[in-house]
Amino acid sequence: MTSRSGEKSKGLGRRQFLKLSGTSTLAAVAAGTIVVGAPGSASAAISGRTNRPADLPAATGPRCVVVGGGASGATIAKYLKRENADFDVVMVEPLAMYMSCFLSNLWFDDLINLRTLQHSYTEAASDAGYTWLQGKLIDLDRDAKRAFTSEGYIDYQYIVLAPGIDYNYASIGVTDPEMVVAMQQSYPAGFKPGSEHLSIKDKLERFEGGVFLTTVPVGNYRCLPAPYERACMIADYFKRNNVSGKVVLLDPGEQPFAPKAPGFLAAFSELYADYIDYHPSTMIQSVDPVAKTVTTEFDTIDFDDAAIYPRIRAAKIIEDLGLSATDNPQFEADIDVYKYFAKGDMTCYVAGDCRPMPFSKSGNTANSEGHYIAKVIAAVEAGNDIEWASPQTICYSMVNGEPEEAIFVKAKYDHDGFGFTDVELDNERSAANGAATHEWGAGLYRDMF
Amino acid sequence: MDRSDYSRRGFVKACGAAAALAAASSGRLAQPAFAMNDAPRLKLVDKAASPIKAGALEVSANYVFLYPCVSTPCLLLRLAAATPRDVERTDRDKTSYVWPGGVGKDGAVVAYMAICAHLLTYNSSATSFLTYNEAKSRVSGAEQAITCCAHASAFDPANGGAVVSGPAEFPLAAVQLEHDADSDELTAVGLVGTVLIDDFFEEYRGKLNAEYGRGAYRTLLEGETTVLPIAEYSVQVIQC
């Protein structure tokens, strides 16, 4: 009986499920436009909790609201308190716990356990002396300096928006809402941690052979080396678990992420010749998640399972709040590129993967920017100026699981033009780098929480 | 390695004046710094408990000893040449302090805490991430430097542990060594610079409790401390 009803729900579920979730998505979008359309007038249309003060103690100093608890937001919340102990910092984050995207490829290959990726917001807030409000930003009235959240509104002196990314499925030719939901739920990208990652891990464990499709997006996407590292980690998982499968990696670029291209290409050919099928210069035109095919400008490829990474965009709330730059294809925010404040408003900052500068969108880079942004806000509060500090990108990529071996790049950015400077590269995969990869991530967690 | 190498002397004191406060406090804020006036005098000895001779240390080799607590690792180095003396450096709080310089007949023996000034990566019995290398580091680009392989910060051991390549922003804490010219023996007598022991304990409390027993990681060493080649201290030594 159990088995039968299980099968039934699974078999039936597909179409019905798509239909239902498509409808609810549309409903949510419709509701969203009412809420976030025009600040001020919109709030009057909201009843319930959002229009009451959030349940917070009275501010003890200049109130800084940090929206988002990722590598950017968590770092900024912690370091705002370090830069100015008088700041009353509230971090608004809807997820019940933190889970990191960085290092997650290692979990797919069983090199770390899930617990390594997970961290507690209650502990982080308690240790660093800020307040975590488990909620979501709904609207913002920048004139009144009031942030409306799902848990009530908060009046602020400064606000930092670090809500992360959303996916743009139109970039890979998927626009039908039912198909978008099918893509999100059946072949998740795995760059917004939580359910997407659990789903991919489960896929790998259930995989019994054939083509496992992964893709590289266009644009400045989250974690430039990650799709190549992921291909290696999944291939290594197949190799070590006797799975007769292939990772098909579709890349619109001519080669893997430039500084590390030699290291990745060496791993592909020397370690995974039978496991990775790398297609450079291949633009995806469309994906059919029901037929399980992807169409490129060259041909149509069948896949057995997949984790499909479309182009990213700044989280939709940035566009909804009118903060996106008009000509930005990823809807990133229109901010001062040296000080991160929304043009003309030094009380509102946009950070993390919503900023438009071409720096690497990685946890490590966002963390280093977070330190600087906290200093900027403290300086503004103190009436001081502050010298620009380059973000720091430090990045190991694991390319082998047995033995664990990684490659490395470290870089800063030029003040004018933001090109790479001070680059250190180690494309010779080594066990030393493999061991350092773990400690690199551990250090980041220590700094964020 | 056998932890009893480090724990056979009697211990009653706790490492750091903050220990009791730290135990009572759930937060990481507002803890006083490690109390420098509690720093013990520890003779550096070998595995057989015989005092080591400065002149017998291999030039440019990495040695590890624990100071001032049973859980706090330090690097001991004999550099190729005498270091400058009485070098002024600046700590995390922008306060200046004086690093006394190398000791020994050649003025080249130095010691630093092997806890990174960036994000507290340290040399554990499982893995050493901070090592001195004469050759150019593949990740920091620095030569004749102590590089932390986690995030590629590099420090100059001949210059008070100064940062030669970031992201670290201040020098490694230095161990003050006394050298007996007659016997050529070494004694660790204190620490200068940004001593991160309280930060280290707070960050790793769970792990240290598991490794040493609840709260025992704070125990101050007394009398002597054993110097080991780094390959005998850590199962894995990372050089980058």
Side-chain angles (χ1 to χ4, degrees):
Chain A
M1 281 300 280
T2 311
S3 140
R4 188 165 166 249
S5 68
E7 278 168 27
K8 193 179 171 191
S9 73
K10 197 147 198 165
L12 231 192
R14 186 69 185 232
R15 262 159 297 158
Q16 201 173 54
F17 173 64
L18 285 179
K19 211 164 193 172
L20 281 171
S21 30
T23 313
S24 63
T25 302
L26 288 174
V29 169
T33 45
I34 294 167
V35 173
V36 299
S41 64
S43 51
I46 303 168
S47 60
R49 180 166 290 279
T50 302
N51 226 18
R52 298 202 305 264
D55 293 335
L56 292 170
T60 55
R63 180 154 264 170
C64 305
V65 172
V66 179
V67 176
S72 178
T75 303
I76 293 169
K78 174 174 170 177
Y79 280 90
L80 278 169
K81 285 299 290 183
R82 294 276 181 99
E83 293 297 331
N84 182 343
D86 291 338
F87 279 154
D88 183 295
V89 178
V90 179
M91 184 177 83
V92 180
E93 166 59 55
L95 300 180
M97 72 169 86
Y98 172 86
M99 179 173 160
S100 80
C101 199
F102 58 88
L103 290 189
S104 63
N105 285 331
L106 278 64
W107 178 52
F108 294 145
D109 196 20
D110 296 326
L111 305 185
I112 56 173
N113 58 39
L114 183 58
R115 180 66 183 82
T116 304
L117 304 176
Q118 297 171 318
H119 299 268
S120 160
Y121 286 125
T122 50
E123 188 184 0
S126 169
D127 287 346
Y130 62 84
T131 302
W132 169 41
L133 182 71
Q134 192 178 355
K136 193 169 170 58
L137 182 71
I138 305 292
D139 196 6
L140 187 59
D141 184 340
R142 288 201 281 142
D143 293 332
K145 291 203 249 179
R146 177 168 288 185
F148 294 89
T149 81
S150 56
E151 300 304 306
Y153 64 76
I154 314 169
D155 292 328
Y156 63 84
Q157 253 76 27
Y158 300 96
I159 189 164
V160 181
L161 304 173
I165 60 168
D166 281 316
Y167 300 122
N168 176 1
Y169 281 94
S171 70
I172 50 171
V174 181
T175 52
D176 181 309
E178 285 193 14
M179 292 299 114
V180 169
V181 170
M183 291 292 291
Q184 287 170 337
Q185 296 181 175
S186 299
Y187 305 108
F191 281 84
K192 287 165 67 175
S195 294
E196 292 183 16
H197 286 72
L198 301 188
S199 170
I200 291 171
K201 181 70 172 162
D202 203 40
K203 285 171 179 293
L204 297 178
E205 287 168 359
R206 295 167 61 86
F207 198 66
E208 294 174 357
V211 169
F212 194 96
L213 181 80
T214 63
T215 66
V216 183
V218 296
N220 187 10
Y221 58 88
R222 176 173 276 181
C223 200
L224 297 170
Y228 311 100
E229 181 191 60
R230 181 177 288 179
C232 291
M233 291 288 89
I234 295 177
D236 190 62
Y237 176 85
F238 287 171
K239 197 170 158 181
R240 293 198 288 143
N241 291 279
N242 300 314
V243 179
S244 60
K246 269 199 179 211
V247 180
V248 170
L249 175 61
L250 305 184
D251 185 353
E254 292 174 13
Q255 59 170 10
F257 166 62
K260 285 181 174 172
F264 283 122
L265 291 172
F268 291 176
S269 64
E270 293 164 16
L271 302 176
Y272 308 117
D274 296 332
Y275 291 91
I276 293 180
D277 198 354
Y278 178 53
H279 297 244
S281 304
T282 301
M283 194 73 83
I284 295 173
Q285 293 182 325
S286 64
V287 185
D288 184 335
V290 178
K292 298 205 282 190
T293 58
V294 57
T295 301
T296 73
E297 53 200 316
F298 305 116
D299 51 9
T300 294
I301 299 168
D302 295 325
F303 60 84
D304 297 285
D305 213 338
I308 297 174
Y309 190 8
R311 185 166 202 176
I312 63 159
R313 48 162 298 159
K316 289 173 186 165
I317 186 79
I318 295 296
E319 183 187 12
D320 293 338
L321 295 176
L323 287 165
S324 294
T326 47
D327 53 351
N328 186 302
Q330 295 188 172
F331 303 91
E332 292 148 349
D334 190 17
I335 57 173
D336 182 286
V337 295
Y338 295 109
K339 299 282 173 62
Y340 295 80
F341 56 82
K343 298 242 174 90
D345 182 359
M346 290 182 80
T347 67
C348 177
Y349 296 75
V350 183
D353 291 348
C354 294
R355 48 99 169 120
M357 295 82 88
F359 314 135
S360 164
K361 291 183 190 289
S362 69
N364 180 264
T365 310
N367 165 262
S368 77
E369 291 173 274
H371 280 261
Y372 169 69
I373 292 166
K375 286 187 167 76
V376 169
I377 294 170
V380 168
E381 173 64 14
N384 299 330
D385 201 7
I386 182 174
E387 201 178 321
W388 180 74
S390 166
Q392 172 90 67
T393 296
I394 300 170
C395 174
Y396 285 98
S397 297
M398 195 74 87
V399 295
N400 195 7
E402 202 174 80
E404 293 186 21
E405 293 177 315
I407 56 179
F408 173 86
V409 65
K410 175 184 178 186
K412 287 192 168 185
Y413 299 86
D414 187 49
H415 179 275
D416 305 311
F418 298 140
F420 279 145
T421 62
D422 304 308
V423 177
E424 297 291 341
L425 254 181
D426 186 9
N427 269 310
E428 294 289 326
R429 62 176 184 272
S430 67
N433 287 346
T437 302
H438 295 268
E439 182 58 19
W440 165 86
L444 271 176
Y445 298 139
R446 287 196 294 275
D447 195 51
M448 290 162 54
F449 299 113
Chain B
M1 60 159 294
D2 183 0
R3 280 283 151 202
S4 66
D5 283 355
Y6 294 113
S7 55
R8 64 188 168 210
R9 301 292 169 234
F11 321 111
V12 261
K13 291 188 191 170
C15 207
L21 282 173
S25 160
S26 62
R28 291 177 194 175
L29 299 173
Q31 289 179 16
F34 176 73
M36 297 299 296
N37 51 1
D38 282 351
R41 292 177 60 86
L42 302 182
K43 177 79 81 180
L44 304 194
V45 301
D46 63 18
K47 278 184 290 185
S50 303
I52 59 159
K53 309 281 186 184
L57 293 169
E58 188 185 333
V59 172
S60 298
N62 286 275
Y63 297 90
V64 177
F65 64 97
L66 300 176
Y67 183 87
C69 305
V70 293
S71 59
T72 49
C74 301
L75 273 179
L76 178 70
L77 305 169
R78 183 182 171 200
L79 303 173
T83 73
R85 301 199 63 76
D86 298 327
V87 177
E88 190 168 313
R89 298 258 66 97
T90 305
D91 70 10
R92 174 166 59 179
D93 302 323
K94 314 288 184 212
T95 305
S96 57
Y97 62 94
V98 173
W99 174 65
V103 300
K105 290 193 173 75
D106 50 8
V109 177
V110 299
Y112 295 91
M113 292 206 80
I115 297 174
C116 187
H118 175 222
L119 295 178
L120 303 173
T121 292
Y122 72 106
N123 289 351
S124 70
S125 56
T127 312
S128 279
F129 290 101
L130 292 94
T131 59
Y132 172 75
N133 288 293
E134 283 197 304
K136 182 177 174 177
S137 163
R138 300 189 311 276
V139 299
S140 70
E143 295 175 22
Q144 298 179 331
I146 296 169
T147 296
C148 173
C149 298
H151 305 94
S153 293
F155 306 90
D156 183 357
N159 204 8
V163 176
V164 288
S165 178
E169 293 178 345
F170 52 88
L172 291 175
V175 183
Q176 291 175 294
L177 298 173
E178 267 180 21
H179 177 250
D180 185 316
D182 295 332
S183 66
D184 201 27
E185 292 170 11
L186 296 161
T187 305
V189 300
L191 295 162
V192 292
T194 311
V195 178
L196 295 168
I197 292 176
D198 286 327
D199 302 65
F200 173 75
F201 286 167
E202 195 50 42
E203 195 59 62
Y204 294 104
R205 193 194 291 192
K207 182 182 174 189
L208 294 171
N209 274 332
E211 191 172 347
Y212 294 89
R214 302 282 157 163
Y217 59 86
R218 290 191 289 262
T219 308
L220 275 171
L221 287 160
E222 290 184 0
E224 60 192 45
T225 184
T226 306
V227 175
L228 294 174
I230 198 165
E232 293 180 32
Y233 169 74
S234 291
V235 174
Q236 188 178 27
V237 179
I238 305 301
Q239 295 204 305
C240 55

